[in-house]
Amino acid sequence: MKPVGIYTPSSLDEAIEILSEHGKDAAVYAGGTDLLVRLKNRIDSSPKYLVDIKKIRDDLRYVKKTQDGSLKIGALSTISEVANSDLVKQSLPLLSRALESISSPELRNQSTIGGDLLQEVWCPYYRNNYPCYRNGGNTCHGEVGDNSIYHSIMGAKLSYAAYPGDAAVALVALDASVGVASPNSETIKTMKVEELLPGVVKVDEKVQSNVLHNNEILTEVTVPAIKAGSKIYYEKVRQRQVWDFALASIAAVLQMQNGAVSDARIVLGGIATMPYRETIVENLLKEKGALTEDLIQEAAAKALPNAKPLKYNAYKLDMAKNLIVAALESML
């Protein structure tokens, strides 16, 4: 395993101070199910120092309901805790279903909701320490090599690796936001999950999937209450029933009023460098109103017109369109 130094701060301010001191050589350590794998694989871009925030875990580990019906989820809550929470099961069954699809029970017991949102990609070239953009190199091996499973069909800049998280697909469909603690700030800044995960970005000289600076810490997830009359759907397609990441997945929320679609959020996972909102389908559903079999087939035909499959992953396009059909047919 790659040798590391470990800090154990007792507060968020102390953790941020340590992260600021070491820059890109340090990383937050919570569940560790992704981070420890990178260290064991001796990936060049993995950190030299771990900032273990378990001592402040109680301040960041909770699921609670607010007066307006929203749910607040501490970033250090484990996947199992959130998925099995009665509040989540009753108020946000879509999120519970997505979280239950993550990896294995053992890893869900260890992994945190914040860690799932911020995990690194699982491109085999990156994970095997090829000199790609994410490892400080100047090429994306997935663009020209084996891109059959872990890569985008929607184009990309720098890295074609698909965003791997499952929680974010549901959270974007639910219009969730996150809280972030930053240096020299007395307040927690907020942003939508969509803003947190815009695709491939370069932050502090590092190519990554999220916009957080190295000395910022994700603290909380806020999910607004689902409006009455909404219909939901979640499905994840993968090679094996445990451990595997999505070949393609979908989270859908349709708000219905007098039998017509008044609002829609359709989010696809496994096919792009971010949780991908299919706004063309969303707008079509809102424009046509009444959900019919003809409209469903039209939506699938018009979906993902800008797709740019790589050499070995064009099957994901058909898979994503079929998921859209399955989601909408379940709501008829």
Side-chain angles (χ1 to χ4, degrees):
M1 181 166 157
K2 187 176 179 179
V4 292
I6 299 179
Y7 291 92
T8 55
S10 57
S11 69
L12 271 176
D13 289 340
E14 185 182 355
I16 289 173
E17 183 178 348
I18 296 168
L19 291 168
S20 298
E21 177 184 351
H22 290 290
K24 64 180 181 179
D25 288 332
V28 171
Y29 171 46
T33 54
D34 173 20
L35 183 57
L36 292 180
V37 171
R38 286 186 278 139
L39 291 170
K40 288 178 180 179
N41 289 348
R42 304 181 73 87
I43 296 176
D44 288 342
S45 61
S46 56
K48 298 177 182 178
Y49 303 96
L50 303 184
V51 182
D52 186 344
I53 58 175
K54 294 187 186 68
K55 281 191 175 181
I56 55 176
R57 192 170 183 136
D58 290 342
D59 295 332
L60 301 173
R61 189 176 182 178
Y62 52 82
V63 179
K64 56 189 179 183
K65 196 170 187 177
T66 63
Q67 289 186 341
D68 66 359
S70 298
L71 286 193
K72 300 277 189 180
I73 303 169
L76 293 189
S77 303
T78 68
I79 298 299
S80 290
E81 288 170 343
V82 181
N84 296 327
S85 164
D86 288 338
L87 284 175
V88 174
K89 285 185 174 182
Q90 293 166 9
S91 303
L92 301 170
L94 175 65
L95 178 59
S96 184
R97 292 175 197 174
L99 297 181
E100 288 170 350
S101 77
I102 294 174
S103 193
S104 66
E106 295 84 357
L107 287 175
R108 290 196 294 273
N109 289 339
Q110 182 72 18
S111 304
T112 65
I113 187 77
D116 190 76
L117 288 172
L118 301 177
Q119 67 182 295
E120 283 283 5
V121 297
W122 287 81
C123 167
Y125 296 104
Y126 167 70
R127 293 284 170 167
N128 284 286
N129 216 20
Y130 279 64
C132 63
Y133 285 115
R134 289 178 182 268
N135 271 326
N138 57 6
T139 190
C140 176
H141 297 276
E143 182 182 7
V144 295
D146 182 1
N147 42 52
S148 57
I149 298 176
Y150 297 103
H151 294 87
S152 169
I153 63 169
M154 300 306 299
K157 294 180 180 179
L158 297 180
S159 171
Y160 281 77
Y163 172 76
D166 293 307
V169 177
L171 289 171
V172 172
L174 293 165
D175 197 24
S177 58
V178 296
V180 177
S182 304
N184 305 317
S185 177
E186 296 181 358
T187 59
I188 299 295
K189 70 177 182 180
T190 62
M191 66 180 76
K192 296 289 189 181
V193 175
E194 284 180 89
E195 296 172 320
L196 174 71
L197 302 166
V200 182
V201 290
K202 196 168 187 178
V203 182
D204 298 333
E205 300 181 355
K206 180 185 175 185
V207 175
Q208 57 190 44
S209 302
N210 65 80
V211 298
L212 293 194
H213 292 279
N214 185 72
N215 57 2
E216 294 182 315
I217 298 177
L218 186 67
T219 60
E220 185 178 70
V221 179
T222 301
V223 192
I226 294 181
K227 293 183 179 180
S230 295
K231 295 186 178 183
I232 63 169
Y233 185 87
Y234 179 81
E235 186 174 355
K236 174 181 176 179
V237 181
R238 48 189 165 178
Q239 287 187 308
R240 298 168 292 178
Q241 288 304 303
V242 295
W243 299 98
D244 261 342
F245 299 91
L247 297 173
S249 64
I250 189 169
V253 179
L254 265 59
Q255 292 177 19
M256 309 298 292
Q257 189 172 6
N258 299 322
V261 179
S262 59
D263 198 11
R265 294 178 73 92
I266 309 290
V267 184
L268 295 159
I271 68 163
T273 59
M274 78 288 281
Y276 189 85
R277 273 192 73 181
E278 183 35 89
T279 55
I280 290 176
V281 172
E282 293 177 359
N283 292 333
L284 179 65
L285 294 174
K286 290 184 287 185
E287 176 189 342
K288 295 296 181 70
L291 190 61
T292 65
E293 185 62 44
D294 287 344
L295 177 57
I296 291 172
Q297 295 303 320
E298 181 183 357
K302 292 183 177 179
L304 307 173
N306 299 317
K308 299 177 181 178
L310 299 170
K311 185 175 182 180
Y312 300 111
N313 68 1
Y315 71 92
K316 285 191 176 189
L317 180 57
D318 290 333
M319 190 175 286
K321 287 175 175 282
N322 289 338
L323 284 173
I324 291 172
V325 171
L328 297 179
E329 285 185 339
S330 75
M331 300 176 183
L332 284 173

